[in-house]
């Protein structure tokens, strides 16, 4: 159970939203680049056990937020995160994230929504 909570938190941390200042008038490639940049920043933050950026980008249920708070108790510096290029259409995006700890890799599907100039994680599910 703790392992699944850990993986969910890591997935959320790596798949966070980006802070976009220009709004909806930006072209999709620009928005795509900013989301990828944000994901890379979150990945770097996790390597030093910083979960602040991930927590700020969540738009999920209370139980998922609780899991993220529990994740802060673990050493995330040894976890490797991999993510695919996000597929974006209009104000929605999705990608797959892989979290590797030790020899085990867990995959998650993550969905994002662009609201008020900011990307928010709205859903994440384990991929089997």
């Amino acid at each position: 159970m703790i392992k699944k909570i850990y993986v969910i938190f890591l997935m959320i941390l790596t798949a966070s939203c980006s802070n976009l200042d220009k709004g909806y008038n930006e072209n999709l490639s620009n928005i795509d680049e900013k989301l990828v940049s944000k994901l890379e920043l979150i990945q770097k933050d996790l390597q030093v056990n910083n979960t602040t950026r991930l927590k700020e980008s969540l738009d999920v249920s209370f139980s998922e937020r609780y899991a993220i708070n529990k994740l802060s108790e673990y050493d995330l510096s040894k976890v490797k995160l991999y993510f695919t290029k996000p597929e974006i259409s209009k104000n929605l995006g999705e990608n797959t994230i892989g979290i590797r700890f030790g020899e085990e890799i867990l995959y998650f599907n993550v969905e994002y929504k662009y609201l008020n100039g900011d990307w928010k994680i709205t859903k994440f599910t384990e991929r089997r």
Side-chain angles (χ1 to χ4, degrees):
M1 177 69 176
I2 292 176
K3 196 173 192 180
K4 283 196 174 204
I5 291 173
Y6 178 72
V7 171
I8 290 171
F9 287 117
L10 287 176
M11 190 282 309
I12 293 173
L13 290 174
T14 58
S16 76
C17 307
S18 66
N19 186 8
L20 304 175
D21 296 327
K22 296 181 183 178
Y24 288 100
N25 294 331
E26 293 180 303
N27 63 35
L28 290 179
S29 64
N30 225 5
I31 292 174
D32 184 35
E33 292 171 10
K34 290 184 179 184
L35 180 57
V36 170
S37 173
K38 184 69 168 184
L39 292 173
E40 290 171 351
L41 288 173
I42 289 173
Q43 184 177 13
K44 289 178 183 178
D45 285 350
L46 290 178
Q47 291 175 348
V48 293
N49 286 325
N50 184 359
T51 61
T52 306
R53 199 179 312 254
L54 174 66
K55 290 178 183 179
E56 291 172 353
S57 63
L58 295 176
D59 187 19
V60 294
S61 70
F62 181 74
S63 61
E64 291 167 332
R65 285 188 181 274
Y66 176 77
I68 294 297
N69 290 333
K70 292 296 279 182
L71 181 61
S72 301
E73 299 173 4
Y74 296 98
D75 179 20
L76 304 175
S77 62
K78 297 179 181 169
V79 173
K80 299 285 186 183
L81 302 170
Y82 305 95
F83 54 91
T84 61
K85 183 176 179 180
E87 296 178 15
I88 297 176
S89 69
K90 297 186 181 180
N91 64 338
L92 300 174
E94 64 180 47
N95 72 340
T96 301
I97 294 180
I99 302 172
R100 187 181 101 189
F101 45 96
E103 294 183 16
E104 187 173 347
I105 299 176
L106 297 172
Y107 295 96
F108 294 89
N109 292 330
V110 183
E111 295 178 11
Y112 310 93
K113 188 165 188 173
Y114 189 66
L115 298 169
N116 300 323
D118 192 19
W119 282 104
K120 297 290 182 183
I121 298 171
T122 57
K123 185 177 180 183
F124 59 94
T125 54
E126 186 174 356
R127 185 174 167 191
R128 300 191 186 252

